[in-house]
Amino acid sequence: MIKSMRNISIKDSRLAMAHMYVAFAALFVGATAGLLQTLERSGKFNLPGGIGYYQILTVHGVTLGLVLTTFFILGFMLAGQSRTAGEFTNSERKMAWFGYWMMVIGVILATIFILLNEATVLYTFYAPMMAHSAFYIGLTLVVVGSWFEGFVIFRRHARFLRENPGEKSPLFSFMAVINMVMWQIATLGVAAAMLLQFIPWSLGMTDTIDVLVSRTLFWYFGHPLVYFWLLPAYMAWYTIIPKIIGGKIFSDSLARLSFILLLLFSIPVGFHHQLTEPGIDPFWKYLQVVLTFLVVIPSLMTAFSMFATFEARGRELGAKGLFGWVKKMPWKDVRFLAPFVGMLWFIPGGAGGIINASNQMNQVVHNTIFVTGHFHLTAAATVMLTFFGLAYWLIPSLTGRKFTAKANKWGIIQTIVWSVGMAFMSGAMHWQGLIGGPRRSAYSEYAGNADTAAWGPYQIAQAIGGSILFIGMIIMLGLFVYLTFFAPKGEEEFPIAEEGPTSGETPAVLENWKLWIGVTVALILFAYTIPFIDIIQNAPPGSPGFKLY
Ligand code: HAS
């Protein structure tokens, strides 16, 4: 009986839901650490119990940037694939559970050592800062665990194509495969850094580490990491939002093409995080900056597609003119409102990314808190508001409950609170960055410095924003608990849109995996081989490790 109350089978629901528990626990821990950070940076508050600023900054970055995202995304993609391509087999599900538990063990291990202050190395774990080897082993387990879940996503997609010859694959499942192909290729970089550099070094098997190699391997992974967060939001915008507004998918092929372009161009661009680093030939930095501008194109295609979807639906409802659709959208439905506000945030967030990527401007903003402002608009506003918008219906749909009108009202309040908090915090970060405010710096590090007076008001504004965001997090967590355990039993729709009349035929070449993976690998080899050989051949002596506490 309960089975009929869900859009996907109970077994698949449980699997997806297991990911959500970890994701929302991480939200609680990470956002609390975030609040403490902004309070410390305001200069008006000392961290209690001798906790170090960099220790909580590590907690914040790891729990939100690595744990919350990875678990939410995998849970969402598994659920969506089960909904669109069909239920997983027992063996597929077993493999996913295996990956899940490996990730959970990895998270527990890494968390223990961060809490013991033995892994205060921030979420990017830049060498030569050294953590306890258990931290690196923990993160490696998270990565390898996620590979198993990725294999499940590939297998389910391949099975759909095998069982339905001649049929087009479901768009959601196609997008999930792209995201995981990108993830598997990108995480090879971080896995190599872990296995060949960090773990032997932290175990004392080697005395020194090649810093530039480790940073290069990290950013080979780090940029696609941010698209690994973004693509599930795009999946929701392309496949779910049209259904929520009562419309249709504008173009299936445009959606697939934009995902393919994101796959091709998101990996060979890591140098744009290393533009100020010596030891990399400027030509290769230039090349990767050009590729970075290419990866902007699929986001502009996505913006175009969203406008088209809104306008088409608006016109169906009688709207006229370019922006007539604005009056016709379901503003009181938070399943639409939260992701839409996320889209709005992506306009300044994306513009900030383009500023970062522009070499000369990067010299001004690099290592300032402007960059922190940028990724709070992109990751913490655009992506998170979309994820919250999904959670409102996804959680009850997985637990066999209803998303009630009361919960919808609280969701709207949450969206407003989150946006106001983010406007204060991220806005102040951008401004402070432009006047040279450093990122990742405790107030206690530079108190009394001549610049502190100029930065002061911005840091107070960040603390106000951080406090408002903390309230937003509490509301979200309350909603999560309510929708998981207390909302009335019933069936909540898992909305998936159909293609509209404008969609047209989808060319078969878009499903040619050999071609797209081949081009991806070729681009990576082109962008990285020569500079990487150069970095190794001209390496200075390795660096011994140090600890930040
Ligand atoms: Fe970034 C640093 C460049 C996107 C996250 N980025 C970071 C870091 C993070 C991050 C976490 O080139 C810090 C890493 C660290 O710890 O050091 N970023 C870019 C570029 C883009 C970009 C070119 N970033 C993201 C996304 C992220 C993210 C997405 C997370 C989810 N970023 C950089 C660079 C750095 C960097 C440098 C290094 C800086 C340094 O020096 O350290 C692009 O992908 C952005 C393209 C986006 C657009 C916007 C399209 C708009 C859309 C919305 C449409 C709205 C609608 C509604 C439809 C062009 C799709 C409209 C309705 C109306 C009514 C108007």
Side-chain angles (χ1 to χ4, degrees), residues 123-124 219 223 226-227 229-230 234 237 272-273 292 296 299-300 302-303 306-307 310 325 340 343-344 346-347 350 353-354 356-357 362 366 371 374-375 378-379 383 439-440:
Y123 90 111
T124 40
W219 285 118
H223 199 72
V226 311
Y227 289 118
W229 305 335
L230 179 69
Y234 278 8
W237 297 0
H272 73 220
H273 292 263
T292 304
V296 170
S299 284
L300 296 176
T302 304
M306 289 304 108
F307 277 113
F310 298 146
W325 54 268
F340 184 87
M343 290 177 206
L344 287 180
F346 203 36
I347 297 172
I354 294 171
N356 291 341
N362 184 270
H366 181 68
V371 174
H374 158 69
F375 69 72
T378 49
V383 170
R439 69 182 284 200
R440 297 176 148 170

Short mmCIF file of all heavy atoms in Angstrom, two decimals, residues 123-124 219 223 226-227 229-230 234 237 272-273 292 296 299-300 302-303 306-307 310 325 340 343-344 346-347 350 353-354 356-357 362 366 371 374-375 378-379 383 439-440, ligand 1:
data_model
loop_
_atom_site.label_atom_id
_atom_site.label_comp_id
_atom_site.label_asym_id
_atom_site.label_seq_id
_atom_site.Cartn_x
_atom_site.Cartn_y
_atom_site.Cartn_z
N TYR A 123 39.35 23.20 3.09
CA TYR A 123 38.76 22.19 2.21
C TYR A 123 39.60 21.90 0.97
O TYR A 123 39.42 20.89 0.31
CB TYR A 123 37.31 22.56 1.85
CG TYR A 123 37.14 23.40 0.60
CD1 TYR A 123 36.56 22.88 -0.55
CD2 TYR A 123 37.54 24.73 0.58
CE1 TYR A 123 36.40 23.66 -1.69
CE2 TYR A 123 37.37 25.51 -0.54
CZ TYR A 123 36.80 24.98 -1.67
OH TYR A 123 36.65 25.75 -2.79
N THR A 124 40.55 22.80 0.70
CA THR A 124 41.42 22.58 -0.47
C THR A 124 42.71 21.85 -0.09
O THR A 124 43.52 21.55 -0.96
CB THR A 124 41.79 23.93 -1.10
OG1 THR A 124 42.05 24.86 -0.05
CG2 THR A 124 40.68 24.47 -1.97
N TRP A 219 43.42 21.45 -8.66
CA TRP A 219 42.55 22.31 -9.47
C TRP A 219 42.08 21.65 -10.76
O TRP A 219 41.07 22.06 -11.34
CB TRP A 219 43.20 23.68 -9.73
CG TRP A 219 43.12 24.48 -8.46
CD1 TRP A 219 44.18 24.96 -7.73
CD2 TRP A 219 41.94 24.83 -7.74
NE1 TRP A 219 43.72 25.59 -6.60
CE2 TRP A 219 42.35 25.53 -6.58
CE3 TRP A 219 40.57 24.63 -7.93
CZ2 TRP A 219 41.45 26.03 -5.64
CZ3 TRP A 219 39.67 25.13 -6.99
CH2 TRP A 219 40.11 25.81 -5.87
N HIS A 223 37.91 22.69 -10.37
CA HIS A 223 36.92 23.42 -11.15
C HIS A 223 35.74 22.54 -11.57
O HIS A 223 34.59 22.93 -11.36
CB HIS A 223 37.50 24.19 -12.32
CG HIS A 223 36.52 25.24 -12.76
ND1 HIS A 223 36.26 26.38 -12.02
CD2 HIS A 223 35.64 25.26 -13.78
CE1 HIS A 223 35.28 27.06 -12.58
NE2 HIS A 223 34.89 26.40 -13.65
N VAL A 226 33.10 22.33 -8.97
CA VAL A 226 32.03 23.32 -8.82
C VAL A 226 30.92 23.09 -9.86
O VAL A 226 29.77 23.39 -9.61
CB VAL A 226 32.54 24.79 -8.83
CG1 VAL A 226 33.70 24.98 -7.89
CG2 VAL A 226 32.85 25.32 -10.21
N TYR A 227 31.29 22.51 -11.00
CA TYR A 227 30.22 22.18 -11.97
C TYR A 227 29.47 20.93 -11.56
O TYR A 227 28.30 20.76 -11.90
CB TYR A 227 30.80 22.04 -13.38
CG TYR A 227 31.20 23.38 -13.93
CD1 TYR A 227 32.51 23.67 -14.26
CD2 TYR A 227 30.25 24.40 -14.08
CE1 TYR A 227 32.88 24.93 -14.71
CE2 TYR A 227 30.61 25.65 -14.52
CZ TYR A 227 31.91 25.91 -14.84
OH TYR A 227 32.27 27.16 -15.27
N TRP A 229 28.55 20.52 -8.65
CA TRP A 229 27.49 21.10 -7.82
C TRP A 229 26.43 21.76 -8.70
O TRP A 229 25.25 21.71 -8.41
CB TRP A 229 28.04 22.18 -6.88
CG TRP A 229 29.16 21.77 -5.99
CD1 TRP A 229 29.45 20.50 -5.56
CD2 TRP A 229 30.16 22.62 -5.42
NE1 TRP A 229 30.56 20.52 -4.75
CE2 TRP A 229 31.01 21.80 -4.64
CE3 TRP A 229 30.42 23.99 -5.46
CZ2 TRP A 229 32.11 22.31 -3.94
CZ3 TRP A 229 31.51 24.49 -4.75
CH2 TRP A 229 32.34 23.66 -4.00
N LEU A 230 26.90 22.44 -9.75
CA LEU A 230 25.96 23.24 -10.57
C LEU A 230 25.05 22.38 -11.44
O LEU A 230 23.87 22.69 -11.62
CB LEU A 230 26.78 24.19 -11.46
CG LEU A 230 25.97 25.09 -12.39
CD1 LEU A 230 25.20 26.15 -11.60
CD2 LEU A 230 26.88 25.79 -13.42
N TYR A 234 21.11 22.64 -12.71
CA TYR A 234 20.67 22.77 -14.11
C TYR A 234 19.69 21.65 -14.49
O TYR A 234 18.74 21.86 -15.24
CB TYR A 234 21.87 22.73 -15.06
CG TYR A 234 22.62 24.04 -15.22
CD1 TYR A 234 22.33 25.15 -14.43
CD2 TYR A 234 23.62 24.18 -16.19
CE1 TYR A 234 23.02 26.34 -14.58
CE2 TYR A 234 24.31 25.37 -16.36
CZ TYR A 234 24.01 26.45 -15.55
OH TYR A 234 24.69 27.62 -15.71
N TRP A 237 16.47 22.76 -13.35
CA TRP A 237 15.93 23.87 -14.13
C TRP A 237 15.39 23.36 -15.48
O TRP A 237 14.35 23.81 -15.94
CB TRP A 237 17.01 24.93 -14.40
CG TRP A 237 17.56 25.59 -13.17
CD1 TRP A 237 17.19 25.34 -11.86
CD2 TRP A 237 18.58 26.58 -13.11
NE1 TRP A 237 17.93 26.13 -11.01
CE2 TRP A 237 18.79 26.91 -11.74
CE3 TRP A 237 19.35 27.25 -14.06
CZ2 TRP A 237 19.72 27.85 -11.32
CZ3 TRP A 237 20.28 28.20 -13.64
CH2 TRP A 237 20.46 28.49 -12.28
N HIS A 272 42.85 28.45 -14.21
CA HIS A 272 42.31 29.77 -13.88
C HIS A 272 42.21 29.99 -12.36
O HIS A 272 41.93 31.09 -11.92
CB HIS A 272 40.99 30.07 -14.62
CG HIS A 272 39.79 29.34 -14.14
ND1 HIS A 272 38.83 28.83 -14.98
CD2 HIS A 272 39.34 29.05 -12.89
CE1 HIS A 272 37.88 28.26 -14.28
NE2 HIS A 272 38.16 28.38 -13.01
N HIS A 273 42.48 28.93 -11.60
CA HIS A 273 42.61 29.10 -10.15
C HIS A 273 44.07 29.34 -9.76
O HIS A 273 44.39 29.54 -8.60
CB HIS A 273 42.10 27.86 -9.41
CG HIS A 273 40.62 27.67 -9.54
ND1 HIS A 273 39.71 28.09 -8.60
CD2 HIS A 273 39.89 27.12 -10.53
CE1 HIS A 273 38.49 27.80 -8.99
NE2 HIS A 273 38.56 27.20 -10.17
N THR A 292 38.09 28.60 -20.40
CA THR A 292 37.15 29.02 -19.36
C THR A 292 36.02 29.86 -19.97
O THR A 292 34.85 29.70 -19.62
CB THR A 292 37.86 29.86 -18.27
OG1 THR A 292 38.94 29.10 -17.75
CG2 THR A 292 36.91 30.25 -17.16
N VAL A 296 31.58 29.20 -20.33
CA VAL A 296 30.50 30.14 -19.99
C VAL A 296 29.31 29.93 -20.95
O VAL A 296 28.15 30.12 -20.58
CB VAL A 296 31.03 31.60 -20.04
CG1 VAL A 296 29.89 32.59 -19.94
CG2 VAL A 296 32.05 31.84 -18.93
N SER A 299 26.27 27.94 -20.03
CA SER A 299 25.45 28.61 -19.00
C SER A 299 24.58 29.67 -19.65
O SER A 299 23.42 29.87 -19.25
CB SER A 299 26.33 29.24 -17.91
OG SER A 299 26.81 28.22 -17.07
N LEU A 300 25.12 30.35 -20.66
CA LEU A 300 24.29 31.34 -21.36
C LEU A 300 23.17 30.62 -22.12
O LEU A 300 22.04 31.11 -22.20
CB LEU A 300 25.16 32.18 -22.31
CG LEU A 300 26.22 33.05 -21.60
CD1 LEU A 300 27.10 33.77 -22.61
CD2 LEU A 300 25.56 34.06 -20.66
N THR A 302 21.77 27.96 -21.11
CA THR A 302 20.80 27.59 -20.08
C THR A 302 19.91 28.78 -19.74
O THR A 302 18.68 28.64 -19.61
CB THR A 302 21.54 27.08 -18.81
OG1 THR A 302 22.39 26.00 -19.22
CG2 THR A 302 20.58 26.61 -17.74
N ALA A 303 20.54 29.97 -19.62
CA ALA A 303 19.75 31.17 -19.34
C ALA A 303 18.72 31.38 -20.46
O ALA A 303 17.53 31.60 -20.21
CB ALA A 303 20.67 32.39 -19.22
N MET A 306 15.91 28.91 -20.18
CA MET A 306 14.98 29.21 -19.09
C MET A 306 14.01 30.34 -19.48
O MET A 306 12.81 30.25 -19.28
CB MET A 306 15.75 29.65 -17.83
CG MET A 306 16.51 28.57 -17.15
SD MET A 306 15.41 27.20 -16.70
CE MET A 306 15.92 25.97 -17.85
N PHE A 307 14.58 31.39 -20.10
CA PHE A 307 13.73 32.49 -20.55
C PHE A 307 12.67 31.97 -21.54
O PHE A 307 11.50 32.34 -21.47
CB PHE A 307 14.56 33.59 -21.23
CG PHE A 307 15.19 34.55 -20.24
CD1 PHE A 307 16.55 34.61 -20.07
CD2 PHE A 307 14.39 35.40 -19.48
CE1 PHE A 307 17.13 35.49 -19.16
CE2 PHE A 307 14.95 36.28 -18.57
CZ PHE A 307 16.33 36.32 -18.41
N PHE A 310 9.95 30.09 -19.68
CA PHE A 310 9.05 30.97 -18.95
C PHE A 310 8.14 31.73 -19.92
O PHE A 310 6.95 31.88 -19.71
CB PHE A 310 9.83 31.97 -18.08
CG PHE A 310 10.69 31.32 -17.02
CD1 PHE A 310 11.91 31.87 -16.63
CD2 PHE A 310 10.27 30.15 -16.39
CE1 PHE A 310 12.69 31.26 -15.66
CE2 PHE A 310 11.05 29.54 -15.42
CZ PHE A 310 12.26 30.09 -15.06
N TRP A 325 5.50 37.31 -18.99
CA TRP A 325 5.45 36.04 -18.25
C TRP A 325 5.63 36.23 -16.75
O TRP A 325 5.17 35.41 -15.96
CB TRP A 325 6.48 35.05 -18.78
CG TRP A 325 7.90 35.57 -18.81
CD1 TRP A 325 8.53 36.18 -19.84
CD2 TRP A 325 8.88 35.52 -17.75
NE1 TRP A 325 9.82 36.51 -19.51
CE2 TRP A 325 10.06 36.11 -18.23
CE3 TRP A 325 8.88 35.02 -16.44
CZ2 TRP A 325 11.22 36.23 -17.45
CZ3 TRP A 325 10.02 35.13 -15.67
CH2 TRP A 325 11.17 35.74 -16.17
N PHE A 340 14.00 29.73 -8.68
CA PHE A 340 14.01 30.94 -9.51
C PHE A 340 14.90 32.00 -8.87
O PHE A 340 15.69 32.66 -9.55
CB PHE A 340 12.60 31.49 -9.72
CG PHE A 340 12.58 32.68 -10.65
CD1 PHE A 340 12.50 32.50 -12.02
CD2 PHE A 340 12.72 33.97 -10.15
CE1 PHE A 340 12.54 33.60 -12.88
CE2 PHE A 340 12.76 35.07 -11.01
CZ PHE A 340 12.66 34.88 -12.37
N MET A 343 18.27 31.27 -9.66
CA MET A 343 18.67 31.72 -11.01
C MET A 343 19.04 33.21 -10.98
O MET A 343 20.03 33.62 -11.60
CB MET A 343 17.51 31.54 -12.00
CG MET A 343 17.20 30.10 -12.32
SD MET A 343 15.76 30.03 -13.42
CE MET A 343 15.16 28.41 -13.03
N LEU A 344 18.23 33.99 -10.27
CA LEU A 344 18.53 35.43 -10.21
C LEU A 344 19.92 35.66 -9.61
O LEU A 344 20.69 36.48 -10.10
CB LEU A 344 17.48 36.16 -9.36
CG LEU A 344 16.10 36.33 -9.97
CD1 LEU A 344 15.18 37.07 -9.00
CD2 LEU A 344 16.16 37.08 -11.30
N PHE A 346 22.35 33.82 -9.83
CA PHE A 346 23.43 33.36 -10.73
C PHE A 346 23.83 34.45 -11.72
O PHE A 346 24.90 34.36 -12.33
CB PHE A 346 23.00 32.09 -11.47
CG PHE A 346 24.19 31.27 -11.94
CD1 PHE A 346 25.35 31.20 -11.20
CD2 PHE A 346 24.14 30.57 -13.14
CE1 PHE A 346 26.45 30.45 -11.63
CE2 PHE A 346 25.23 29.82 -13.58
CZ PHE A 346 26.38 29.76 -12.82
N ILE A 347 23.00 35.48 -11.86
CA ILE A 347 23.40 36.55 -12.79
C ILE A 347 24.62 37.30 -12.22
O ILE A 347 25.67 37.30 -12.86
CB ILE A 347 22.19 37.45 -13.13
CG1 ILE A 347 21.13 36.59 -13.85
CG2 ILE A 347 22.63 38.63 -13.99
CD1 ILE A 347 19.81 37.28 -14.09
N GLY A 350 27.57 34.62 -11.80
CA GLY A 350 28.27 34.29 -13.06
C GLY A 350 29.15 35.45 -13.51
O GLY A 350 30.27 35.24 -13.98
N GLY A 353 32.26 35.32 -11.73
CA GLY A 353 33.12 34.26 -12.27
C GLY A 353 33.90 34.75 -13.48
O GLY A 353 35.09 34.47 -13.65
N ILE A 354 33.22 35.53 -14.32
CA ILE A 354 33.88 36.05 -15.52
C ILE A 354 34.98 37.06 -15.12
O ILE A 354 36.06 37.09 -15.71
CB ILE A 354 32.84 36.67 -16.47
CG1 ILE A 354 31.94 35.53 -16.99
CG2 ILE A 354 33.50 37.40 -17.63
CD1 ILE A 354 30.73 35.98 -17.77
N ASN A 356 36.67 36.89 -12.28
CA ASN A 356 37.76 36.05 -11.76
C ASN A 356 38.60 35.46 -12.89
O ASN A 356 39.81 35.33 -12.79
CB ASN A 356 37.20 34.85 -10.98
CG ASN A 356 36.55 35.25 -9.68
OD1 ASN A 356 36.80 36.33 -9.17
ND2 ASN A 356 35.71 34.38 -9.16
N ALA A 357 37.90 35.06 -13.95
CA ALA A 357 38.59 34.34 -15.02
C ALA A 357 39.41 35.28 -15.91
O ALA A 357 40.28 34.82 -16.64
CB ALA A 357 37.57 33.60 -15.88
N ASN A 362 41.84 39.16 -12.36
CA ASN A 362 42.14 38.14 -11.35
C ASN A 362 43.28 38.61 -10.43
O ASN A 362 43.32 38.29 -9.24
CB ASN A 362 42.50 36.82 -12.03
CG ASN A 362 42.72 35.71 -11.01
OD1 ASN A 362 43.83 35.50 -10.54
ND2 ASN A 362 41.65 35.04 -10.65
N HIS A 366 42.28 37.97 -6.73
CA HIS A 366 42.76 36.66 -6.27
C HIS A 366 43.16 36.71 -4.79
O HIS A 366 43.81 37.66 -4.35
CB HIS A 366 43.95 36.20 -7.11
CG HIS A 366 44.46 34.85 -6.69
ND1 HIS A 366 43.72 33.70 -6.87
CD2 HIS A 366 45.58 34.47 -6.06
CE1 HIS A 366 44.40 32.68 -6.38
NE2 HIS A 366 45.53 33.11 -5.88
N VAL A 371 36.53 36.55 -3.87
CA VAL A 371 36.34 35.18 -4.37
C VAL A 371 35.36 34.42 -3.47
O VAL A 371 34.49 33.69 -3.94
CB VAL A 371 37.71 34.45 -4.49
CG1 VAL A 371 37.51 33.00 -4.87
CG2 VAL A 371 38.61 35.16 -5.48
N HIS A 374 32.03 35.49 -4.40
CA HIS A 374 31.62 34.84 -5.66
C HIS A 374 31.04 33.45 -5.39
O HIS A 374 29.97 33.11 -5.87
CB HIS A 374 32.83 34.76 -6.60
CG HIS A 374 32.74 33.71 -7.66
ND1 HIS A 374 31.83 33.79 -8.70
CD2 HIS A 374 33.43 32.55 -7.85
CE1 HIS A 374 31.99 32.71 -9.48
NE2 HIS A 374 32.95 31.95 -8.99
N PHE A 375 31.75 32.66 -4.59
CA PHE A 375 31.23 31.29 -4.49
C PHE A 375 30.09 31.16 -3.49
O PHE A 375 29.41 30.14 -3.46
CB PHE A 375 32.34 30.24 -4.33
CG PHE A 375 33.12 30.21 -3.06
CD1 PHE A 375 32.56 29.76 -1.89
CD2 PHE A 375 34.46 30.57 -3.05
CE1 PHE A 375 33.31 29.69 -0.73
CE2 PHE A 375 35.22 30.50 -1.89
CZ PHE A 375 34.64 30.06 -0.73
N THR A 378 27.29 31.70 -6.10
CA THR A 378 27.09 30.58 -7.03
C THR A 378 26.70 29.30 -6.28
O THR A 378 25.65 28.72 -6.55
CB THR A 378 28.37 30.33 -7.84
OG1 THR A 378 29.49 30.29 -6.94
CG2 THR A 378 28.61 31.40 -8.88
N ALA A 379 27.57 28.90 -5.34
CA ALA A 379 27.31 27.62 -4.67
C ALA A 379 26.25 27.77 -3.58
O ALA A 379 25.25 27.03 -3.56
CB ALA A 379 28.60 27.07 -4.09
N VAL A 383 23.01 27.34 -6.20
CA VAL A 383 22.88 25.89 -6.09
C VAL A 383 22.04 25.51 -4.87
O VAL A 383 21.11 24.71 -4.96
CB VAL A 383 24.28 25.23 -6.05
CG1 VAL A 383 24.19 23.76 -5.71
CG2 VAL A 383 25.00 25.44 -7.38
N ARG A 439 40.96 36.77 1.93
CA ARG A 439 40.10 35.66 2.28
C ARG A 439 40.84 34.77 3.28
O ARG A 439 42.05 34.91 3.44
CB ARG A 439 39.69 34.85 1.03
CG ARG A 439 40.81 34.08 0.38
CD ARG A 439 40.37 33.34 -0.88
NE ARG A 439 39.61 32.14 -0.58
CZ ARG A 439 39.44 31.13 -1.43
NH1 ARG A 439 39.97 31.18 -2.65
NH2 ARG A 439 38.73 30.08 -1.11
N ARG A 440 40.12 33.88 3.92
CA ARG A 440 40.72 32.88 4.81
C ARG A 440 41.66 33.51 5.83
O ARG A 440 42.78 33.03 6.03
CB ARG A 440 41.50 31.87 3.99
CG ARG A 440 40.62 31.09 3.06
CD ARG A 440 41.43 30.16 2.21
NE ARG A 440 40.65 28.98 1.91
CZ ARG A 440 41.00 28.06 1.03
NH1 ARG A 440 42.11 28.19 0.36
NH2 ARG A 440 40.25 27.01 0.82
FE1 HAS B 1 33.83 30.10 -9.87
C1 HAS B 1 36.64 30.51 -7.89
C2 HAS B 1 35.49 31.39 -12.55
C3 HAS B 1 31.06 29.52 -11.89
C4 HAS B 1 32.43 28.15 -7.40
N1 HAS B 1 34.41 29.47 -8.01
C5 HAS B 1 35.60 29.76 -7.38
C6 HAS B 1 35.64 29.12 -6.10
C7 HAS B 1 34.46 28.40 -5.98
C8 HAS B 1 33.70 28.66 -7.17
C9 HAS B 1 34.06 27.51 -4.82
O1 HAS B 1 38.38 32.01 -13.32
C10 HAS B 1 36.75 29.25 -5.06
C11 HAS B 1 37.71 28.12 -5.08
C12 HAS B 1 38.74 28.32 -3.99
O2 HAS B 1 38.49 27.89 -2.85
O3 HAS B 1 39.78 28.94 -4.26
N2 HAS B 1 33.35 30.45 -11.83
C13 HAS B 1 34.16 31.00 -12.75
C14 HAS B 1 33.46 31.12 -14.03
C15 HAS B 1 32.20 30.61 -13.82
C16 HAS B 1 32.15 30.16 -12.45
C17 HAS B 1 34.00 31.68 -15.29
N3 HAS B 1 32.08 29.06 -9.68
C18 HAS B 1 31.08 28.95 -10.62
C19 HAS B 1 30.03 28.12 -10.11
C20 HAS B 1 30.41 27.73 -8.85
C21 HAS B 1 31.70 28.34 -8.59
C22 HAS B 1 28.78 27.78 -10.87
C23 HAS B 1 29.74 26.86 -7.86
C24 HAS B 1 28.60 26.28 -8.02
N4 HAS B 1 35.69 30.84 -10.15
C25 HAS B 1 36.18 31.27 -11.34
C26 HAS B 1 37.61 31.63 -11.17
C27 HAS B 1 37.94 31.37 -9.85
C28 HAS B 1 36.71 30.88 -9.24
C29 HAS B 1 38.53 32.14 -12.18
C30 HAS B 1 39.31 31.53 -9.19
C31 HAS B 1 39.42 32.86 -8.54
C32 HAS B 1 40.75 32.98 -7.80
O4 HAS B 1 41.57 33.81 -8.20
O5 HAS B 1 41.00 32.26 -6.83
C33 HAS B 1 31.13 30.47 -14.89
O6 HAS B 1 30.72 29.14 -14.97
C34 HAS B 1 29.95 31.36 -14.67
C35 HAS B 1 28.99 31.33 -15.87
C36 HAS B 1 27.62 31.80 -15.47
C37 HAS B 1 26.89 32.70 -16.12
C38 HAS B 1 25.53 33.08 -15.59
C39 HAS B 1 24.37 32.55 -16.42
C40 HAS B 1 23.08 32.87 -15.75
C41 HAS B 1 22.03 32.03 -15.60
C42 HAS B 1 20.82 32.48 -14.82
C43 HAS B 1 19.72 32.92 -15.71
C44 HAS B 1 18.61 33.58 -14.94
C45 HAS B 1 17.30 33.47 -15.25
C46 HAS B 1 16.28 34.21 -14.45
C47 HAS B 1 16.80 32.66 -16.38
C48 HAS B 1 27.38 33.37 -17.34
C49 HAS B 1 22.04 30.66 -16.17
C50 HAS B 1 16.14 35.56 -15.07
C51 HAS B 1 14.94 36.30 -14.64
C52 HAS B 1 14.82 37.64 -14.71
C53 HAS B 1 13.52 38.27 -14.34
C54 HAS B 1 15.94 38.51 -15.14
#
